[in-house]
Amino acid sequence: MGKQLLKMLASIGVISLMLPIVALAQGNTIDPPVEGSDPFGFGQKLDDIAAPYSPTTTVPLEQRVGEIISIFLGFLGVIFLILMIYAGFNWMTAGGEEEQITKARNTIRAAIIGLLIVISAYALSVFIIERLWGTVV
């Protein structure tokens, strides 16, 4: 059962990584592209795309801190989603085995507690940053 689950998760991962490529494969074949209308940045110089993230730009510290916090919290949200899917899959395939159901319930409970801790940390960081710099993350 473990190898089957691993193969299935690997297949889902590979397919999900390839989906954006398929979505971007469709081009605009009706009208010629209008300059400046490309939302993905194709045809632009790499320096122009990366300019807002350059270390030489004068981005306020609170904005950089906010971006870092947002990226970190997004990553934790993905981990929560993966844990919930994993626990749900274990519960659905338990086949009435009480031990496996209990393990799945504990995983769901731990994931929800972790999510509550993350949301509390975010609220605390927003409160502190708002008090220090007077801006909202």
Side-chain angles (χ1 to χ4, degrees), residues 69 120-132 135-137:
I69 290 172
S120 301
Y122 175 71
L124 184 64
S125 67
V126 165
F127 178 76
I128 289 173
I129 290 174
E130 188 176 306
R131 294 293 180 218
L132 289 178
T135 183
V136 179
V137 179

Side-chain angles (χ1 to χ4, degrees), residues 28-82:
N28 186 1
T29 58
I30 300 172
D31 298 324
V34 178
E35 186 173 338
S37 66
D38 185 14
F40 300 109
F42 295 123
Q44 294 180 9
K45 291 183 179 178
L46 187 57
D47 292 337
D48 296 338
I49 295 171
Y53 305 104
S54 172
T56 59
T57 59
T58 55
V59 177
L61 178 63
E62 58 269 12
Q63 184 177 349
R64 289 205 190 239
V65 170
E67 289 174 1
I68 291 170
I69 290 172
S70 296
I71 291 170
F72 182 69
L73 290 174
F75 179 69
L76 290 177
V78 169
I79 290 175
F80 169 75
L81 180 66
I82 290 171

